[in-house]
Amino acid sequence: MSAPPPTVRRPRRLGWPRRVFSQVLLMQLAVATGVTVLATGLFLAPLSAQLDDQAMRRALSIAQSTAAQPQIAESLLATEPEPRGPVQSAAERIRRATGAEYVVVMDRRGVRWSHPDPARIGRVVSTDPGEALAGLEVREIDDGTLGRSARGKVPLRDASGDIAGAVSVGIAYDSVRARLLAAIPGLLAYAGGALAVGALAALLISRRLQRQTHDLAFSDIAALLTEREAMLHSIREGVVALDRTGRIRLLNDEAQRLLGVGPEASGRPLAEALGTGRTADVLAGEVAGEDLLTVRGSRVLLANRMPTADGGAVVTLRDRTELEHLGRELDSTRGLIDALRAQDHEHANRLHTLLGLLELELHEDAREFVTEVVGVHRATAEQVAERVRDPLLAALLVGKATVAAERGVALRIAPGTLLPDRLVDPRGLVTVVGNLVDNALDAAAGSDGALVEVGLRTEGRTVVLRVRDSGPGVPPAQRGSIFTEGWSTKELPAHGRRGLGLALVRRLAERQGGSVAVDTADEGGAEFTVVLPEAMTEAESDRAGVAR
């Protein structure tokens, strides 16, 4: 067998790093180095000028002190310029005492009377002494016979105040440069320390950034952001992201549709964007649990909330409106089946009774029995149809009466009930009545003298519905929470959810500008009152009156 080809290692290219951590670290180090170099340069530039100024002030101060000694002016006027003269001796003493490079005393002609080099005594100075001989004090940096120096020149006056000459003092410029160079190591040490601290801070910040970005490259972060935006706006679940203060940080398209808000809700607090209610409480985490139900407008939503590491949270929303409708249709179908089963049992019992009467040849009793049974059913249906003119609602009440009879509960129409066939939203009222009657039947079943009474009346265009039962009633402490989504005392139905019936009743009533309330009935049970303004259309007589 042939040996596998050797692995060729490509040389690693040096270039700009890809990871955020490395890029930020390099940029911070570059910034820190640049700032340190700039600060050092900005400090050295004025330091050099400051040292020059200090040297010139020192030279001028020595010149002023020398000119202030009266014996120097007296010796200048009384003697000749000699290497061993009194002026030279006094000037050299001052030079050695002050550390100056030279102390030159000159007469009005510019002839030197003193100099560190005695051979130059008696000669004219190399620089123009005109300003000093004119009575001015001069500070400058200039080149002379001894090289470059910082100089100070002042006039020399005699006892009467007349100018007898001038005094020129020089400080070697090499000493000034030496002071500047001596200061540079210390300055660089401070700059290096500052740079080291900056580099350490940059490293710590970059490490923190590395942990927060999971050591990703900028291109990876940009790709993740693009993918996140595409994913959030394409999924069919609502996603709401919140920060630690409860402010909306992200809202995808589906969440906007389910909550009925626009993109402007991003960046606003939950209470401001959604208003008060169970939906805002669920999203804010004030209601604990999984798969929490809430009603927003006409939609039934299923919410799950997951906290994030930064103190915020992500909430997912699913639309269960259609599923809840299917579940309620299933419940209605089961109710219909129960009603048919009840009628089947009832008809079977009646047929057996009728068969027995015929076999016993009690024909007259059989005729009376049939007449009574038909009359009772006809009377119940006719009573409902006479007082409730809307066919959908009348059919619902007749069917509920059969189910109630099977469960041993008497369902009756309250005295004074009268509902014309002019409903604006018959299906909405059917939902309200059906939910309240079902709850009343559940509460009244098994009680003594089990009874459910339904009353419907109109006040102009307003419909007032009252449903009372003979059950245990609703405790006052729970009357404020029974209309909340998810609140229920019943076992779970086939579709797995409870606590929406009364919530939908309240939502339907509020959507029409009405209200729903619960109180204690006269018999001790619960009495629900629903007021629906503008639920009726105008009567023909009212329209005719308006037309006239």
Side-chain angles (χ1 to χ4, degrees):
M1 296 178 62
S2 59
T7 303
V8 179
R9 293 186 177 180
R10 297 182 179 178
R12 191 172 182 179
R13 295 182 180 180
L14 296 178
W16 188 251
R18 295 181 63 251
R19 293 194 170 141
V20 177
F21 158 73
S22 303
Q23 292 187 21
V24 172
L25 179 60
L26 288 180
M27 287 189 291
Q28 287 180 328
L29 289 177
V31 170
T33 304
V35 170
T36 302
V37 172
L38 180 61
T40 304
L42 292 177
F43 182 78
L44 285 177
L47 178 62
S48 177
Q50 183 179 6
L51 292 176
D52 290 347
D53 183 69
Q54 289 178 355
M56 290 186 292
R57 288 179 180 275
R58 182 184 169 204
L60 183 64
S61 177
I62 296 173
Q64 290 172 342
S65 300
T66 303
Q69 299 182 17
Q71 67 272 17
I72 293 180
E74 293 175 358
S75 300
L76 180 67
L77 296 174
T79 62
E80 295 294 330
E82 297 178 354
R84 297 182 181 274
V87 176
Q88 170 70 0
S89 299
E92 283 299 297
R93 186 176 63 253
I94 294 173
R95 182 183 67 82
R96 288 192 294 269
T98 58
E101 185 179 19
Y102 65 85
V103 177
V104 174
V105 180
M106 66 191 78
D107 59 14
R108 291 184 59 84
R109 297 171 299 170
V111 177
R112 299 187 187 95
W113 286 67
S114 66
H115 196 276
D117 184 4
R120 297 182 183 274
I121 297 176
R123 297 181 183 179
V124 178
V125 296
S126 60
T127 57
D128 183 15
E131 293 182 355
L133 294 175
L136 302 177
E137 293 184 348
V138 179
R139 291 186 306 166
E140 62 183 359
I141 294 179
D142 201 358
D143 295 322
T145 56
L146 297 179
R148 192 171 182 82
S149 61
R151 302 181 179 187
K153 299 178 181 180
V154 298
L156 179 65
R157 299 179 184 274
D158 57 16
S160 60
D162 296 330
I163 295 177
V167 178
S168 176
V169 177
I171 303 295
Y173 197 73
D174 290 341
S175 64
V176 178
R177 185 180 295 107
R179 290 180 60 191
L180 177 63
L181 295 177
I184 289 178
L187 180 62
L188 291 179
Y190 283 114
L195 181 60
V197 172
L200 179 60
L203 179 62
L204 295 177
I205 294 174
S206 300
R207 286 291 184 186
R208 176 180 175 84
L209 185 62
Q210 182 184 24
R211 291 193 299 269
Q212 292 180 340
T213 59
H214 302 284
D215 202 18
L216 295 175
F218 277 115
S219 58
D220 297 333
I221 295 176
L224 287 175
L225 180 61
T226 303
E227 293 169 359
R228 187 200 71 162
E229 291 297 317
M231 178 183 65
L232 287 177
H233 293 288
S234 62
I235 60 176
R236 300 309 300 170
E237 281 193 358
V239 178
V240 181
L242 307 172
D243 61 14
R244 65 177 63 189
T245 63
R247 193 177 296 271
I248 297 177
R249 189 162 49 189
L250 175 68
L251 199 70
N252 72 343
D253 297 341
E254 183 66 8
Q256 295 176 23
R257 185 183 72 86
L258 295 178
L259 297 176
V261 297
E264 67 278 359
S266 296
R268 296 167 58 188
L270 269 176
E272 180 182 336
L274 303 181
T276 58
R278 177 176 170 84
T279 302
D281 293 341
V282 169
L283 267 62
E286 297 181 7
V287 181
E290 297 180 354
D291 293 341
L292 297 174
L293 280 174
T294 180
V295 178
R296 179 73 177 174
S298 60
R299 299 186 182 279
V300 179
L301 306 179
L302 192 67
N304 281 284
R305 191 176 190 273
M306 177 64 67
T308 56
D310 60 353
V314 175
V315 183
T316 58
L317 301 172
R318 283 178 284 170
D319 191 355
R320 287 187 59 95
T321 306
E322 296 299 329
L323 185 58
E324 288 297 328
H325 287 170
L326 291 176
R328 294 194 170 277
E329 289 181 5
L330 178 59
D331 288 344
S332 299
T333 303
R334 288 193 169 186
L336 179 60
I337 293 174
D338 292 340
L340 293 176
R341 184 180 297 112
Q343 290 183 352
D344 179 58
H345 291 170
E346 187 176 2
H347 284 297
N349 293 332
R350 289 168 181 169
L351 287 177
H352 293 160
T353 302
L354 180 60
L355 179 60
L357 291 174
L358 292 177
E359 288 181 352
L360 294 174
E361 296 184 355
L362 300 175
H363 301 103
E364 186 64 25
D365 292 336
R367 185 182 62 81
E368 292 178 359
F369 176 74
V370 172
T371 302
E372 179 183 356
V373 169
V374 173
V376 169
H377 279 278
R378 182 177 302 169
T380 302
E382 289 179 355
Q383 181 186 20
V384 172
E386 181 181 358
R387 298 184 180 185
V388 181
R389 304 291 177 79
D390 183 81
L392 290 178
L393 196 56
L396 172 70
L397 292 175
V398 171
K400 294 296 183 183
T402 304
V403 175
E406 173 69 12
R407 300 181 63 178
V409 180
L411 176 64
R412 73 184 184 191
I413 305 299
T417 295
L418 181 60
L419 182 68
D421 186 14
R422 294 188 287 107
L423 290 175
V424 174
D425 183 15
R427 295 182 180 273
L429 187 56
V430 165
T431 301
V432 172
V433 174
N435 285 327
L436 292 180
V437 170
D438 286 341
N439 289 337
L441 291 176
D442 292 337
S447 63
D448 294 337
L451 171 68
V452 172
E453 184 179 83
V454 179
L456 286 161
R457 61 185 178 85
T458 60
E459 298 176 358
R461 296 182 60 185
T462 301
V463 173
V464 179
L465 166 66
R466 283 190 174 87
V467 178
R468 66 181 183 90
D469 59 69
S470 59
V474 180
Q478 296 181 354
R479 292 177 183 176
S481 58
I482 62 173
F483 298 102
T484 304
E485 297 94 330
W487 189 94
S488 180
T489 59
K490 304 176 184 178
E491 296 181 358
L492 293 180
H495 50 83
R497 297 290 167 188
R498 279 288 190 190
L500 287 178
L502 292 178
L504 288 177
V505 168
R506 183 187 65 175
R507 194 58 60 95
L508 288 171
E510 291 177 349
R511 191 164 61 185
Q512 297 186 23
S515 62
V516 57
V518 61
D519 204 345
T520 302
D522 296 337
E523 293 80 4
E527 180 175 290
F528 288 84
T529 302
V530 180
V531 179
L532 301 175
E534 308 295 327
M536 304 290 293
T537 60
E538 294 182 359
E540 293 296 333
S541 58
D542 296 337
R543 295 177 184 175
V546 172
R548 287 194 297 269

